[in-house]
Amino acid sequence: MSTNNLLNFQTTSQGILPIKLCVLDCDGIIFNSNQLKTAAYRSTLSDLNCSTEEISKFVELHLSDVSVSRFVKFTAFFKDILNDPDSETKTTAALEGYSTNCMKLYKELTPEKGAMKFVDQSPTSPTLTFVISGGAQTELNQVFQIHGIRDKFHKICGSPITKIEHLSEIIKETNIDPTQILFIGDGWTDFKTSKHIGCHFCFLKEMSDWKDNVQQMNGYEEMVTRCDTWDDILKRCV
């Protein structure tokens, strides 16, 4: 690790990048929660008397881009897929049920040791290290407080505001060049956000359920560094 306020990160194709600001996704990055959250979606829809076939359709929608917020997914599911005339009421009920299930889930998990080591050692922490997640912002702040890690980050950002909107606002506030930002994520929306903003994307494979990551990142090798585990990421911090 560097001793100044820059994180020197060894990329795959651009050599060592001086990083001034770090962004971490939450699920699959700080918590190993992807599969458990899929189970929480199933349980929530089952409680709303959705059929097995309908639940399978939702899970397919969810896994097509796990980083998209629950607000978007439930709305699309009830309104566009099921064409439910009571879609707004069903969406509200699903959001409430899913939030309850998620809070139970997060309490049972512990933050990933590699993620905490990265944050503890990074020269950008905590003032220039952010969490940007598809999870609900109020919920995530409670979760991070419960696990005693809230103070390790400058801000915990989540839905219903999109990741692109959050990161754009952070850049505006900090006036940091996007090329000096590192986004560590495991999903397609994380990659798309990095591409849109123009920052470097570090893909963590270990806990990811993004099945089409190879094909969907094809052609963008210059902006992507692939890592299998948190240990691989830590070794790139020089």
Side-chain angles (χ1 to χ4, degrees):
M1 292 280 185
S2 61
T3 56
N4 53 33
N5 62 345
L6 291 176
L7 167 65
N8 293 318
F9 186 75
Q10 178 69 59
T11 68
T12 301
S13 61
Q14 295 189 40
I16 296 176
L17 285 183
I19 300 298
K20 288 187 176 181
L21 190 150
C22 291
V23 174
L24 279 69
D25 181 32
C26 180
D27 298 307
I29 300 297
I30 297 174
F31 291 99
N32 189 4
S33 48
N34 283 330
Q35 292 185 4
L36 292 176
K37 292 191 84 168
T38 301
Y41 275 125
R42 289 184 181 275
S43 178
T44 299
L45 293 174
S46 178
D47 290 343
L48 292 174
N49 299 316
C50 289
S51 68
T52 301
E53 182 182 356
E54 289 171 341
I55 293 173
S56 295
K57 287 181 179 179
F58 181 88
V59 171
E60 183 179 353
L61 170 67
H62 163 60
L63 293 178
S64 68
D65 191 350
V66 295
S67 298
V68 172
S69 80
R70 69 191 70 174
F71 303 92
V72 173
K73 287 174 181 174
F74 281 132
T75 298
F77 177 66
F78 289 110
K79 183 179 179 181
D80 302 325
I81 295 177
L82 297 188
N83 295 311
D84 194 315
D86 199 22
S87 62
E88 290 187 14
T89 301
K90 292 282 184 67
T91 297
T92 299
L95 288 170
E96 291 175 355
Y98 184 68
S99 179
T100 299
N101 287 333
C102 278
M103 287 302 293
K104 292 177 182 177
L105 154 73
Y106 279 124
K107 287 178 181 179
E108 296 172 0
L109 297 174
T110 55
E112 288 293 305
K113 291 181 180 179
M116 294 302 96
K117 187 173 181 180
F118 173 85
V119 172
D120 287 339
Q121 294 183 1
S122 176
T124 68
S125 299
T127 56
L128 288 173
T129 298
F130 294 76
V131 172
I132 299 182
S133 171
Q137 184 162 312
T138 53
E139 179 183 295
L140 288 175
N141 275 276
Q142 293 177 43
V143 168
F144 278 60
Q145 198 70 46
I146 289 170
H147 286 285
I149 61 173
R150 174 62 189 83
D151 293 341
K152 294 180 181 290
F153 304 91
H154 183 65
K155 192 174 182 181
I156 314 295
C157 306
S159 295
I161 297 172
T162 68
K163 294 186 178 186
I164 288 177
E165 289 173 314
H166 275 305
L167 190 47
S168 297
E169 187 60 31
I170 289 169
I171 290 172
K172 189 183 298 183
E173 291 176 0
T174 61
N175 199 32
I176 290 176
D177 192 300
T179 60
Q180 293 186 300
I181 295 174
L182 177 67
F183 195 132
I184 302 175
D186 72 325
W188 193 24
T189 295
D190 301 328
F191 165 68
K192 289 188 293 184
T193 299
S194 300
K195 182 159 66 81
H196 179 87
I197 294 296
C199 61
H200 195 77
F201 179 58
C202 178
F203 172 66
L204 177 59
K205 181 181 178 181
E206 185 174 16
M207 298 169 279
S208 177
D209 50 12
W210 179 17
K211 294 180 180 179
D212 298 326
N213 68 83
V214 174
Q215 300 94 312
Q216 290 179 316
M217 288 193 287
N218 185 40
Y220 295 94
E221 287 76 11
E222 283 195 6
M223 65 161 284
V224 176
T225 293
R226 295 174 174 273
C227 292
D228 287 334
T229 67
W230 263 111
D231 282 343
D232 294 336
I233 295 177
L234 292 168
K235 289 174 183 176
R236 289 181 175 274
C237 301
V238 296

